[in-house]
PDB file of all heavy atoms in Angstrom:
ATOM      1  N   ARG A1835     -12.728  12.125   9.467  1.00  0.00           N
ATOM      2  CA  ARG A1835     -12.635  10.933  10.281  1.00  0.00           C
ATOM      3  C   ARG A1835     -13.249  11.080  11.706  1.00  0.00           C
ATOM      4  O   ARG A1835     -12.889  12.244  12.327  1.00  0.00           O
ATOM      5  CB  ARG A1835     -11.129  10.379  10.287  1.00  0.00           C
ATOM      6  CG  ARG A1835     -10.494  10.372   8.953  1.00  0.00           C
ATOM      7  CD  ARG A1835      -9.184   9.787   9.154  1.00  0.00           C
ATOM      8  NE  ARG A1835      -8.231   9.991   7.899  1.00  0.00           N
ATOM      9  CZ  ARG A1835      -7.300   9.239   7.684  1.00  0.00           C
ATOM     10  NH1 ARG A1835      -6.842   8.387   8.391  1.00  0.00           N
ATOM     11  NH2 ARG A1835      -6.580   9.569   6.529  1.00  0.00           N
ATOM     12  N   GLU A1836     -13.797  10.078  12.239  1.00  0.00           N
ATOM     13  CA  GLU A1836     -14.198  10.267  13.681  1.00  0.00           C
ATOM     14  C   GLU A1836     -13.679   9.014  14.363  1.00  0.00           C
ATOM     15  O   GLU A1836     -13.721   7.881  13.844  1.00  0.00           O
ATOM     16  CB  GLU A1836     -15.741  10.276  13.621  1.00  0.00           C
ATOM     17  CG  GLU A1836     -16.268  11.547  13.165  1.00  0.00           C
ATOM     18  CD  GLU A1836     -17.896  11.486  13.124  1.00  0.00           C
ATOM     19  OE1 GLU A1836     -18.435  10.315  13.522  1.00  0.00           O
ATOM     20  OE2 GLU A1836     -18.463  12.502  12.829  1.00  0.00           O
ATOM     21  N   THR A1837     -13.152   9.248  15.600  1.00  0.00           N
ATOM     22  CA  THR A1837     -12.756   8.058  16.316  1.00  0.00           C
ATOM     23  C   THR A1837     -13.166   8.325  17.866  1.00  0.00           C
ATOM     24  O   THR A1837     -13.133   9.434  18.370  1.00  0.00           O
ATOM     25  CB  THR A1837     -11.138   7.962  16.374  1.00  0.00           C
ATOM     26  OG1 THR A1837     -10.632   8.095  15.109  1.00  0.00           O
ATOM     27  CG2 THR A1837     -10.681   6.715  17.021  1.00  0.00           C
ATOM     28  N   THR A1838     -13.784   7.323  18.463  1.00  0.00           N
ATOM     29  CA  THR A1838     -14.360   7.416  19.717  1.00  0.00           C
ATOM     30  C   THR A1838     -13.885   6.197  20.660  1.00  0.00           C
ATOM     31  O   THR A1838     -13.992   5.006  20.171  1.00  0.00           O
ATOM     32  CB  THR A1838     -15.888   7.411  19.660  1.00  0.00           C
ATOM     33  OG1 THR A1838     -16.382   8.359  18.749  1.00  0.00           O
ATOM     34  CG2 THR A1838     -16.516   7.763  20.967  1.00  0.00           C
ATOM     35  N   CYS A1839     -13.605   6.388  21.907  1.00  0.00           N
ATOM     36  CA  CYS A1839     -13.273   5.396  22.819  1.00  0.00           C
ATOM     37  C   CYS A1839     -14.396   4.939  23.590  1.00  0.00           C
ATOM     38  O   CYS A1839     -15.131   5.706  24.239  1.00  0.00           O
ATOM     39  CB  CYS A1839     -12.093   5.935  23.739  1.00  0.00           C
ATOM     40  SG  CYS A1839     -10.649   6.467  22.954  1.00  0.00           S
ATOM     41  N   VAL A1840     -14.752   3.658  23.584  1.00  0.00           N
ATOM     42  CA  VAL A1840     -15.897   3.066  24.169  1.00  0.00           C
ATOM     43  C   VAL A1840     -15.524   1.836  24.801  1.00  0.00           C
ATOM     44  O   VAL A1840     -14.500   1.275  24.647  1.00  0.00           O
ATOM     45  CB  VAL A1840     -17.033   2.824  23.113  1.00  0.00           C
ATOM     46  CG1 VAL A1840     -17.408   4.153  22.532  1.00  0.00           C
ATOM     47  CG2 VAL A1840     -16.583   1.820  22.097  1.00  0.00           C
ATOM     48  N   LEU A1841     -16.449   1.224  25.677  1.00  0.00           N
ATOM     49  CA  LEU A1841     -16.288   0.035  26.233  1.00  0.00           C
ATOM     50  C   LEU A1841     -16.715  -1.225  25.360  1.00  0.00           C
ATOM     51  O   LEU A1841     -17.767  -1.082  24.833  1.00  0.00           O
ATOM     52  CB  LEU A1841     -17.057  -0.175  27.571  1.00  0.00           C
ATOM     53  CG  LEU A1841     -16.523   0.583  28.843  1.00  0.00           C
ATOM     54  CD1 LEU A1841     -17.586   0.514  29.974  1.00  0.00           C
ATOM     55  CD2 LEU A1841     -15.198  -0.207  29.358  1.00  0.00           C
ATOM     56  N   PRO A1842     -15.879  -2.130  25.174  1.00  0.00           N
ATOM     57  CA  PRO A1842     -16.277  -3.372  24.190  1.00  0.00           C
ATOM     58  C   PRO A1842     -17.275  -4.276  24.879  1.00  0.00           C
ATOM     59  O   PRO A1842     -17.493  -4.340  26.164  1.00  0.00           O
ATOM     60  CB  PRO A1842     -14.958  -3.895  24.032  1.00  0.00           C
ATOM     61  CG  PRO A1842     -14.229  -3.814  25.311  1.00  0.00           C
ATOM     62  CD  PRO A1842     -14.572  -2.494  25.821  1.00  0.00           C
ATOM     63  N   ASP A1843     -17.783  -5.202  24.115  1.00  0.00           N
ATOM     64  CA  ASP A1843     -18.616  -6.239  24.680  1.00  0.00           C
ATOM     65  C   ASP A1843     -17.973  -7.200  25.491  1.00  0.00           C
ATOM     66  O   ASP A1843     -18.387  -7.674  26.493  1.00  0.00           O
ATOM     67  CB  ASP A1843     -19.350  -6.964  23.489  1.00  0.00           C
ATOM     68  CG  ASP A1843     -20.305  -6.035  22.606  1.00  0.00           C
ATOM     69  OD1 ASP A1843     -20.460  -4.834  23.019  1.00  0.00           O
ATOM     70  OD2 ASP A1843     -20.714  -6.480  21.577  1.00  0.00           O
ATOM     71  N   GLU A1844     -16.715  -7.576  25.139  1.00  0.00           N
ATOM     72  CA  GLU A1844     -15.890  -8.498  25.867  1.00  0.00           C
ATOM     73  C   GLU A1844     -14.747  -7.704  26.453  1.00  0.00           C
ATOM     74  O   GLU A1844     -14.052  -6.887  25.686  1.00  0.00           O
ATOM     75  CB  GLU A1844     -15.360  -9.587  24.938  1.00  0.00           C
ATOM     76  CG  GLU A1844     -14.424 -10.551  25.691  1.00  0.00           C
ATOM     77  CD  GLU A1844     -13.773 -11.597  24.679  1.00  0.00           C
ATOM     78  OE1 GLU A1844     -14.048 -11.494  23.478  1.00  0.00           O
ATOM     79  OE2 GLU A1844     -12.850 -12.430  25.085  1.00  0.00           O
ATOM     80  N   PRO A1845     -14.456  -7.815  27.742  1.00  0.00           N
ATOM     81  CA  PRO A1845     -13.390  -6.992  28.369  1.00  0.00           C
ATOM     82  C   PRO A1845     -12.011  -7.089  27.773  1.00  0.00           C
ATOM     83  O   PRO A1845     -11.651  -8.261  27.156  1.00  0.00           O
ATOM     84  CB  PRO A1845     -13.335  -7.407  29.819  1.00  0.00           C
ATOM     85  CG  PRO A1845     -14.703  -7.985  30.028  1.00  0.00           C
ATOM     86  CD  PRO A1845     -15.126  -8.670  28.687  1.00  0.00           C
ATOM     87  N   VAL A1846     -11.073  -6.152  27.799  1.00  0.00           N
ATOM     88  CA  VAL A1846      -9.715  -6.295  27.386  1.00  0.00           C
ATOM     89  C   VAL A1846      -8.880  -6.818  28.476  1.00  0.00           C
ATOM     90  O   VAL A1846      -8.964  -6.207  29.610  1.00  0.00           O
ATOM     91  CB  VAL A1846      -9.136  -4.869  26.930  1.00  0.00           C
ATOM     92  CG1 VAL A1846      -7.738  -5.112  26.552  1.00  0.00           C
ATOM     93  CG2 VAL A1846     -10.065  -4.407  25.835  1.00  0.00           C
ATOM     94  N   PRO A1847      -8.199  -7.949  28.440  1.00  0.00           N
ATOM     95  CA  PRO A1847      -7.399  -8.449  29.650  1.00  0.00           C
ATOM     96  C   PRO A1847      -6.521  -7.425  30.127  1.00  0.00           C
ATOM     97  O   PRO A1847      -5.730  -6.765  29.355  1.00  0.00           O
ATOM     98  CB  PRO A1847      -6.716  -9.703  29.101  1.00  0.00           C
ATOM     99  CG  PRO A1847      -7.530  -9.994  27.765  1.00  0.00           C
ATOM    100  CD  PRO A1847      -8.039  -8.739  27.215  1.00  0.00           C
ATOM    101  N   ALA A1848      -6.258  -7.251  31.417  1.00  0.00           N
ATOM    102  CA  ALA A1848      -5.310  -6.407  32.013  1.00  0.00           C
ATOM    103  C   ALA A1848      -3.985  -6.750  31.525  1.00  0.00           C
ATOM    104  O   ALA A1848      -3.142  -5.708  31.351  1.00  0.00           O
ATOM    105  CB  ALA A1848      -5.417  -6.402  33.624  1.00  0.00           C
ATOM    106  N   SER A1849      -3.635  -7.875  31.245  1.00  0.00           N
ATOM    107  CA  SER A1849      -2.305  -8.338  30.825  1.00  0.00           C
ATOM    108  C   SER A1849      -1.914  -7.744  29.557  1.00  0.00           C
ATOM    109  O   SER A1849      -0.809  -7.553  29.131  1.00  0.00           O
ATOM    110  CB  SER A1849      -2.262  -9.917  30.848  1.00  0.00           C
ATOM    111  OG  SER A1849      -3.080 -10.425  29.926  1.00  0.00           O
ATOM    112  N   PHE A1850      -2.970  -7.379  28.757  1.00  0.00           N
ATOM    113  CA  PHE A1850      -2.702  -6.805  27.406  1.00  0.00           C
ATOM    114  C   PHE A1850      -1.872  -5.558  27.485  1.00  0.00           C
ATOM    115  O   PHE A1850      -1.008  -5.270  26.612  1.00  0.00           O
ATOM    116  CB  PHE A1850      -4.004  -6.498  26.664  1.00  0.00           C
ATOM    117  CG  PHE A1850      -3.911  -5.667  25.406  1.00  0.00           C
ATOM    118  CD1 PHE A1850      -3.475  -6.254  24.326  1.00  0.00           C
ATOM    119  CD2 PHE A1850      -4.215  -4.287  25.449  1.00  0.00           C
ATOM    120  CE1 PHE A1850      -3.308  -5.458  23.138  1.00  0.00           C
ATOM    121  CE2 PHE A1850      -4.104  -3.697  24.221  1.00  0.00           C
ATOM    122  CZ  PHE A1850      -3.634  -4.130  23.095  1.00  0.00           C
TER     123      PHE A1850
END
Side-chain angles (χ1 to χ4, degrees):
R1835 310 183 195 201
E1836 296 179 349
T1837 312
T1838 308
C1839 297
V1840 299
L1841 283 172
D1843 295 352
E1844 179 185 356
V1846 178
S1849 59
F1850 170 76

